[in-house]
Amino acid sequence: MTHTSFSLPQRMIVTGAQSGIGRAVAQAAVDAGGTVLGIDRHAPSPLAEPAPSTSSSPGRFIARIADVTDAAALDEVFGRAAETLGGAPDAVIHSAGIYRQAPVGDMSLDEWEHSMRTNSTSSFLVARGASRIMTGGSLVLLTSIAYARGDWFEPCAAYAASKGAVVSLTTQLAAELGPRGIRVNAVAPGVINTPMTTITQHEHATAGLLQRLPLRRLGEANEVAAACLFLSSAAASYITGAVLPVDGGFLVS
Ligand code: NAD
């Protein structure tokens, strides 16, 4: 049997759905006729109306305000997700996260713990919730190429370490959950033009960065969303445990 279809999952949970990459994932899934349960700590502004030609069935976006570091809040959202979505989710994409930069000597323990909790611990909590309700399908976690590169353009040890933990989690969970038909992959963006990326406001740094990038430009949220959705689709049915860079070539530069 071959799978060449890029048809998207019909029932999806997306964290960080209010902004940037998570929002682009939610928008694309709704445009394709899917039902999306979007989680964010901020109330979501409405998604754009899907273009009439993109799908024969109208998609649906259901917003839940929750902090992804709050175990009880997440357990409640996941506990009700099947009822909310009309069935177990086919895909979960965990995009909520924060970026903090600081030289290590200036970094407080609180800042370190905040990064670890928001990026690493939340990945565990989302994966735990997903594993309890999914009967198959795909989990995608967002890491960053910063986990693998010491020559990032600014010091961000806590962020990089918090995203390294996401890669380890992906490896272990792919092995653990594969026998249940749940694929687990990570997407590793480079520098993407979203509200998280203040670098775009610093022309000088941006120019230097662009010279290092083989594709000579920053990425866009929809380009990362496309990778998340590919990994969530039937087209990726034999891919698990992978870390897919979406970085304009940063890792090979
Ligand atoms: P973004 O800031 O545009 O969006 C992040 C979303 O996560 C926001 O809506 C925010 O409210 C939500 N969020 C943050 N903390 C939360 C919490 N505790 N509970 C619930 N929601 C919370 O960022 P983005 O650029 O879309 O980044 C998405 C993911 O991609 C993140 O995990 C980020 O680390 C990763 N990433 C981004 C880049 C980049 O250049 N933008 C690069 C590498 C990795």
Side-chain angles (χ1 to χ4, degrees):
M1 190 163 91
T2 56
H3 290 290
T4 49
S5 166
F6 280 75
S7 63
L8 297 177
Q10 284 308 295
R11 292 182 297 274
M12 194 180 290
I13 297 176
V14 181
T15 74
Q18 158 59 11
S19 176
I21 294 163
R23 189 174 178 83
V25 169
Q27 181 77 62
V30 168
D31 287 356
T35 303
V36 175
L37 173 55
I39 302 171
D40 205 288
R41 63 183 166 180
H42 294 132
S45 36
L47 297 178
E49 283 293 314
S53 59
T54 49
S55 172
S56 51
S57 60
R60 201 167 151 231
F61 181 72
I62 304 150
R64 288 285 176 276
I65 299 175
D67 189 318
V68 293
T69 68
D70 180 338
L74 268 196
D75 284 352
E76 194 189 334
V77 175
F78 274 91
R80 292 173 181 224
E83 188 188 335
T84 311
L85 289 165
D90 316 301
V92 173
I93 296 175
H94 177 40
S95 186
I98 52 158
Y99 174 72
R100 294 284 188 276
Q101 62 83 28
V104 66
D106 297 342
M107 191 184 298
S108 69
L109 179 58
D110 280 353
E111 267 301 319
W112 168 270
E113 288 179 343
H114 186 54
S115 289
M116 296 304 286
R117 192 168 175 83
T118 309
N119 295 337
S120 312
T121 306
S122 74
S123 298
F124 152 66
L125 292 173
V126 167
R128 184 175 73 171
S131 77
R132 288 174 176 168
I133 61 170
M134 291 177 85
T135 54
S138 155
L139 168 64
V140 174
L141 302 174
L142 267 291
T143 179
S144 161
I145 60 163
Y147 94 90
R149 289 290 290 252
D151 59 342
W152 197 239
F153 48 87
E154 54 189 0
C156 61
Y159 179 73
S162 73
K163 291 298 188 178
V166 172
V167 173
S168 301
L169 193 62
T170 301
T171 306
Q172 291 298 318
L173 293 182
E176 182 183 329
L177 301 178
R180 286 176 44 197
I182 302 173
R183 297 179 297 103
V184 185
N185 295 289
V187 168
V191 187
I192 311 299
N193 195 11
T194 73
M196 178 179 278
T197 317
T198 51
I199 186 87
T200 55
Q201 290 152 17
H202 303 300
E203 249 177 56
H204 182 66
T206 305
L209 175 68
L210 295 184
Q211 279 311 306
R212 283 178 56 182
L213 288 175
L215 293 186
R216 296 284 190 275
R217 65 176 177 85
L218 303 184
E220 298 298 330
N222 63 348
E223 294 177 297
V224 184
C228 295
L229 291 168
F230 161 69
L231 288 171
S232 304
S233 76
S237 54
Y238 202 56
I239 302 177
T240 196
V243 180
L244 177 60
V246 183
D247 66 349
F250 194 115
L251 279 182
V252 296
S253 69

